[in-house]
Amino acid sequence: MSENIDALQQRLERVREEVGKRIIGQRDVLEHLLVCILADGNALLESNPGLGKTTMVRTVADVTDLDFSRVQNTPDLMPSDITGTEIIRESGGEREFVFEKGPIFANVVLADEINRATPKTQAALLEAMQEKQVTAAGETYALPRPFFVLATQNPIDQEGTYPLPEAQTDRFLLKLVLDYPSVEEERDIVSLYTEGGETPPVEKVLTRDQLQRIQSLVSEVPIADDIRDRAIELVRATREVETVEFGASPRASMGLVRTAKARAFLHGRNHVSWEDVESMAPPVLRHRILLDFRAEREGLTTDDVIADLLEQA
């Protein structure tokens, strides 16, 4: 059994290597994205346009041999454009209603620029993200497993964007923020994509069955009672900070423990360390706490508040 686990962990390392053929830098973001997948969650990726969010998600799907679907969100996109709709089909002189599945029926669904869709369309993703199913015309359809919504969004102060409702942001296990590359990384990116002429090929190194096996193993990774309790207290502390108007819910506590287990497995360890919790706290919490006017007046961000709480934990 241990050899089997070791082999799976080696495959995860190969996943990183293969994605690195197309994505220069962003190592922490890629690690957290893989953690999210291993923990069977959804991720929200935020950055200015052109930093490789879409390429990263598509490459992860390619390397893990998962069915990939992309939805380009626009203000005129309708919910049925995502979930599917009933159509009339003629057969043998008879007409019948048939449900035509939408792009949500895939293993990896990239919801590109999700905050450019209207709130009504954003809400169409809620059931799929939480229940792994779609209801249309009174019928419920199960989504393929594994299933992930990996959404990208531009900063909310850009023109033509709609902030995601709190109920939907809470369905994302992680919120990942991509920053601009360093000078050396940007030089490598330009060389990679302007001198070769084609997108670098990648190998499929992980099957969906292996991924589901890893997900079941991740849930079994042990966490010491004292580390679990410190993680819970960290989340509870977000509700007591003066500059925070709304703190994180128990869903954040569960997400923090789940992702800490996934990170430990990804790093080849058979137990959770406090380092795993510290690493996963910002992406788990940053979209689940709402700062009040005092924080905004002082120029604080949610990451600043989380960093202070980690120092006190």
Side-chain angles (χ1 to χ4, degrees), residues 175-178 281-289 291 299-311:
K175 179 181 178 181
L176 309 178
V177 179
L178 285 73
V284 168
L285 295 174
R286 62 166 56 109
H287 57 301
R288 290 186 164 100
I289 60 179
L291 302 183
L300 294 176
T301 66
T302 53
D303 282 7
D304 293 331
V305 173
I306 295 167
D308 290 340
L309 292 175
L310 283 170
E311 289 183 3

Side-chain angles (χ1 to χ4, degrees), residues 50-111:
L51 295 186
K53 302 184 295 293
T54 302
T55 301
M56 181 182 293
V57 173
R58 181 183 288 274
T59 304
V60 169
D62 290 342
V63 172
T64 52
D65 196 25
L66 297 175
D67 293 334
F68 175 82
S69 177
R70 179 174 180 266
V71 177
Q72 179 62 53
N73 288 275
T74 57
D76 61 348
L77 191 72
M78 299 297 293
S80 59
D81 294 331
I82 296 176
T83 60
T85 186
E86 281 196 327
I87 62 173
I88 299 176
R89 181 171 295 170
E90 292 190 13
S91 177
E94 295 183 357
R95 295 182 178 182
E96 62 177 344
F97 284 99
V98 178
F99 181 68
E100 187 76 16
K101 293 181 178 179
I104 197 73
F105 287 87
N107 297 119
V108 178
V109 178
L110 172 61

